[in-house]
Amino acid sequence: MGPSQIPPPPSGGDAGDRVVVTAEEHAEYRRLRHAADVRHRRARHIGASVLLLITLLLAPLAVVAAWVDSEVSDTDRYVQTVAPLGTDPAVQSAVTDRLTNRVVAEVNVEAVTQWLGEALADAGAPPAVVDRTGALAGPLRAAVTSAVHRVVNRVVTSDTFAQAWDAANRRAHAAVVNVLTGSRSGAVRAEGDKVVLDLGTVVDEVKKRLVDAGFEKASAIPAPDRQITLFESEELSRAQAGMRLLDILGVWLPVLTVVLAALTVWTAPAHRVMLLITAAGIVVMMVVLLVALAVVRRVYLDAVPASTLPPDAAQAIFDTFVRFLRDSTRTLLVVAVITALAAYLYGPGRVARGVRTLSARGTTAAGHGLRRVGLRTGAAGQWLDAHRSWTTGVVVAGGVLALVLWNYPTVGAVALVLGLVLLVLVLLAVLAAAGGPATAAGEPGGARP
């Protein structure tokens, strides 16, 4: 093998100069270059693998952290979570039974029967009748229980109870948030290590109502000490620090996970393949999270004594509290499946090529059909045809942005956005086909638009 020529370094000599090397030197050059390429690709594979592992481990934690943060810090979200419990039949039944037992427990049935026996004795009733009044305790308790149960059930199943349930949960949650965040608004708030109740609003409202009722001198009532310290604890500052940490994790942990996923795909030598692997891994992790929720549900239901809470009520409470977590997990699972499917369809696989060919034929036939009836897109269609990759990227990015800006997206929202993205892509492909030269069969002479 004769000598070879390789170009010199850019800084050396005239641009037309060549350095003559032997075949052995050229082979060594190629071997070293190949080894450098192999080391570079290996480093990228290792880096992408590490990033992928971290991303997959953080994915379920990010979903849980975002859900917990929304439930703890967002009063509207919390009320939306617990609102169905106020109208759930199992929960209503449990509340009715609990309230009925509390009311009946305050009724001294034995004292009533004793009083009845004494009254009958004073009235001259036969001793046998007086002695049998004690046997009335059981039927009397059952009658009281039945009557109280009907009244309580009527109240609990009414719309008034559902409204009171929502209002009570809203007030309680807002008070807790004020304490944990150190907010200065609201009646219950934190000041240092103290939790105080501000009675100013209540006092002002009472004075106003008294004046409206005709007690004009009530406006002169002096304002007492408006703050009452409910409790003081050194643990309050730790709870507030935990709340701040949760707020940070709930917002930034999902962002960090998305950034790591993007870095994983960018670092890998084969971007499409790594996108497919990352999406498939997230699908697996979301399935694991759903399985973990099912296991926790079983453990919770087994741990709740039936004497404390009926099984159907405990089941309703657990399912209601975690339903938004399940929804978020399923939504991310569907998004990951769609991403993996898109990455596969852009690949060289036989099925992927077949799908792309079939869709191209369909949109091309539709575009040519528009041209045959005189609907030509002209230069605009030709521009769309020449910039298909750009327009596709813009449409897909728009769909992703819509999901990011969507407040708590669901599987239905993902399906809606996906349908709109596919519809726009098909429409753009048809318009692009309607603007190109007329080469389809049946178009005379292949006339240009």
Side-chain angles (χ1 to χ4, degrees):
M1 182 180 294
S4 302
Q5 291 183 341
I6 62 173
S11 59
D14 184 68
D17 293 344
R18 293 291 183 270
V19 177
V20 178
V21 297
T22 63
E24 291 77 7
E25 292 174 334
H26 188 267
E28 180 66 13
Y29 165 77
R30 293 178 62 87
R31 186 188 68 79
L32 293 176
R33 183 172 181 176
H34 176 71
D37 290 341
V38 169
R39 287 195 296 270
H40 180 66
R41 290 179 63 87
R42 184 177 300 167
R44 293 181 65 181
H45 276 299
I46 294 174
S49 300
V50 172
L51 290 173
L52 175 63
L53 178 61
I54 298 174
T55 299
L56 296 184
L57 292 177
L58 289 182
L61 298 178
V63 174
V64 174
W67 170 72
V68 173
D69 179 58
S70 67
E71 295 295 330
V72 173
S73 62
D74 190 341
T75 298
D76 291 335
R77 186 67 166 177
Y78 173 78
V79 174
Q80 187 181 2
T81 298
V82 301
L85 293 176
T87 56
D88 186 272
V91 176
Q92 288 178 339
S93 177
V95 172
T96 299
D97 294 342
R98 184 70 59 85
L99 292 177
T100 299
N101 294 335
R102 291 290 299 273
V103 172
V104 173
E106 299 298 325
V107 179
N108 194 339
V109 177
E110 289 74 13
V112 174
T113 56
Q114 182 180 356
W115 172 84
L116 179 60
E118 293 174 354
L120 291 175
D122 294 340
V129 175
V130 175
D131 293 341
R132 291 179 181 177
T133 54
L136 296 176
L140 181 58
R141 183 178 297 277
V144 172
T145 301
S146 178
V148 173
H149 189 277
R150 283 197 302 270
V151 174
V152 173
N153 184 69
R154 192 179 303 116
V155 174
V156 171
T157 57
S158 65
D159 294 337
T160 303
F161 176 80
Q163 296 170 2
W165 172 269
D166 292 349
N169 278 282
R170 181 176 296 278
R171 289 193 299 269
H173 189 272
V176 172
V177 171
N178 287 339
V179 170
L180 293 180
T181 58
S183 174
R184 294 290 181 175
S185 62
V188 180
R189 58 176 181 264
E191 293 186 357
D193 289 336
K194 298 180 181 180
V195 177
V196 300
L197 172 64
D198 189 350
L199 297 177
T201 304
V202 177
V203 172
D204 293 340
E205 182 66 20
V206 170
K207 291 167 63 175
K208 181 178 180 300
R209 293 197 178 190
L210 288 175
V211 171
D212 293 342
F215 298 95
E216 298 180 358
K217 295 184 178 181
S219 59
I221 297 176
D225 186 1
R226 293 186 169 216
Q227 289 187 350
I228 298 176
T229 300
L230 299 180
F231 66 89
E232 182 176 359
S233 174
E234 296 179 356
E235 300 297 326
L236 181 58
S237 59
R238 296 183 182 178
Q240 291 175 338
M243 180 67 180
R244 287 190 291 270
L245 177 61
L246 176 61
D247 190 41
I248 294 173
L249 291 177
V251 174
W252 291 109
L253 189 57
V255 174
L256 176 62
T257 304
V258 173
V259 171
L260 289 176
L263 287 176
T264 301
V265 176
W266 178 77
T267 304
H271 301 318
R272 185 192 62 82
V273 175
M274 182 53 70
L275 178 61
L276 176 59
I277 294 174
T278 303
I282 292 177
V283 169
V284 172
M285 298 307 296
M286 293 304 101
V287 171
V288 170
L289 181 55
L290 290 174
V291 172
L293 285 176
V295 173
V296 172
R297 180 179 185 271
R298 185 69 268 165
V299 172
Y300 165 77
L301 294 178
D302 292 341
V304 176
S307 58
T308 303
L309 192 64
D312 54 349
Q315 177 179 327
I317 291 173
F318 182 88
D319 292 341
T320 300
F321 264 99
V322 303
R323 76 182 192 281
F324 286 137
L325 176 57
R326 281 201 185 106
D327 290 346
S328 299
T329 306
R330 291 166 181 161
T331 299
L332 186 55
L333 189 151
V334 171
V335 171
V337 169
I338 294 173
T339 303
L341 183 60
Y344 171 76
L345 291 178
Y346 270 92
R350 182 176 180 180
V351 176
R353 293 198 308 269
V355 171
R356 293 200 302 269
T357 301
L358 183 62
S359 62
R361 288 177 180 174
T363 54
T364 301
H368 290 169
L370 291 178
R371 295 173 59 197
R372 282 194 295 268
V373 298
L375 298 177
R376 299 169 182 247
T377 55
Q382 294 174 10
W383 185 90
L384 289 174
D385 184 58
H387 299 83
R388 285 179 182 267
S389 59
W390 283 98
T391 54
T392 300
V394 169
V395 173
V396 173
V400 173
L401 182 62
L403 288 178
V404 170
L405 298 179
W406 198 297
N407 193 20
Y408 304 116
T410 61
V411 174
V414 173
L416 175 62
V417 172
L418 176 62
L420 291 176
V421 168
L422 293 178
L423 179 62
V424 173
L425 290 178
V426 170
L427 180 60
L428 292 178
V430 172
L431 294 177
T439 57
E443 295 190 13
R448 303 180 71 88

